[in-house]
């Protein structure tokens, strides 16, 4: 069985890096792909991300969300290794120069809650087949920026429309959400193995 995993993060090396999160988000998906997994990444559409992706195309129109108009989900590839990356295009939330989290006075943006709630919400929508061509069995949420993915996924289990999988979540610096199925243990072993291979053991816990 090929595992389909979506990694959700706010930054990814070499597109955007402020710290170790970008290194983990860049290395772990590639390590999983080497082990035969079908892996994609979801990122906010920060300027560096939008500029660095190739072959970008629209996936879905999301309209107005979190008081931001004209939101779209797009898909591109990472030039260095061909990794498929989903990007949330929301100009009023993400199209800002400099640090992705702080303003010019090094103060966190006042709307960071909305900015990263949108990231988690879109992750949950992808798990519910927002992209008709692909949906994940595993949603792997990196750090607090993606933490609300778990809440939106749990809320989705109560929604009327069917979901791709029922999810159980654990939390650490990297939060891993995996389906309640016979493949869950295998998925966790694969992720742990990829963590070790990508030299990310300090950030991974099975």
């Amino acid at each position: 069985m090929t595992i389909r995993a979506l990694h959700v993060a706010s930054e990814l090396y070499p597109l955007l890096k402020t710290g170790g999160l970008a290194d983990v988000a860049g290395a772990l998906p590639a390590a999983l792909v080497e082990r035969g997994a079908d892996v994609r990444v979801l990122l906010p559409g920060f300027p560096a991300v939008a500029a660095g992706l190739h072959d970008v195309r629209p996936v879905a129109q999301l309209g107005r969300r979190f008081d931001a108009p004209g939101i779209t989900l797009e898909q591109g590839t990472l030039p260095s290794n061909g990794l498929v990356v989903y990007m949330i295009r929301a100009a009023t939330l993400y199209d800002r120069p400099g640090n992705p989290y702080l303003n010019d006075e090094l103060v966190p943006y006042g709307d960071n809650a909305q900015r990263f709630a949108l990231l988690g919400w879109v992750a949950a929508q992808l798990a519910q087949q927002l992209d008709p061509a692909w949906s994940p069995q595993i949603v792997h949420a990196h750090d607090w920026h993606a933490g609300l993915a778990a809440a939106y996924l749990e809320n989705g289990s109560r929604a009327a429309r069917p979901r791709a999988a029922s999810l159980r979540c654990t939390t650490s610096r990297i939060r891993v959400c995996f389906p309640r199925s016979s493949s869950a243990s295998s998925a966790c072993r694969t992720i742990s193995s990829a963590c070790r291979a990508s030299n990310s053991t300090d950030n991974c816990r099975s």
Side-chain angles (χ1 to χ4, degrees):
M1 174 183 173
T2 299
I3 298 170
R4 297 190 307 276
L6 176 70
H7 286 251
V8 187
S10 58
E11 53 188 87
L12 180 148
Y13 181 82
L15 297 177
L16 177 64
K17 174 180 166 67
T18 67
L21 169 61
D23 295 324
V24 175
L28 182 53
L32 285 165
V33 169
E34 289 180 359
R35 282 156 178 74
D38 181 359
V39 179
R40 300 186 181 189
V41 178
L42 173 65
L43 298 171
F46 296 129
V49 174
L53 292 177
H54 285 189
D55 303 320
V56 176
R57 63 173 182 83
V59 174
Q61 300 290 329
L62 301 176
R64 189 179 190 91
R65 303 287 174 178
F66 299 94
D67 206 29
I71 297 172
T72 61
L73 179 66
E74 300 176 357
Q75 179 185 309
T77 57
L78 195 62
S80 58
N81 58 13
L83 181 69
V84 176
V85 176
Y86 290 109
M87 176 180 67
I88 305 168
R89 184 87 68 172
T92 60
L93 295 179
Y94 300 139
D95 190 6
R96 302 173 187 178
N99 189 289
Y101 316 119
L102 310 175
N103 64 22
D104 291 340
E105 298 177 350
L106 301 182
V107 175
Y109 285 115
D111 60 351
N112 273 349
Q114 290 87 347
R115 298 169 83 212
F116 297 112
L118 176 62
L119 179 64
W121 181 82
V122 174
Q125 298 307 304
L126 280 166
Q128 297 168 353
Q129 301 176 327
L130 176 63
D131 181 354
W134 188 88
S135 62
Q137 299 162 302
I138 300 165
V139 176
H140 193 128
H142 293 254
D143 222 308
W144 70 266
H145 317 90
L148 282 177
Y152 286 118
L153 285 163
E154 178 62 24
N155 185 65
S157 68
R158 305 187 186 98
R161 65 191 180 110
R163 300 171 59 217
S166 178
L167 299 170
R168 176 158 45 108
C169 301
T170 61
T171 60
S172 60
R173 183 177 178 189
I174 291 181
R175 298 164 173 86
V176 183
C177 307
F178 52 92
R180 292 190 183 104
S181 70
S182 59
S183 63
S185 295
S186 174
C188 287
R189 286 194 298 270
T190 301
I191 289 172
S192 296
S193 174
C195 280
R196 290 191 293 272
S198 63
N199 296 317
S200 302
T201 52
D202 289 342
N203 299 290
C204 301
R205 187 166 63 196
S206 60

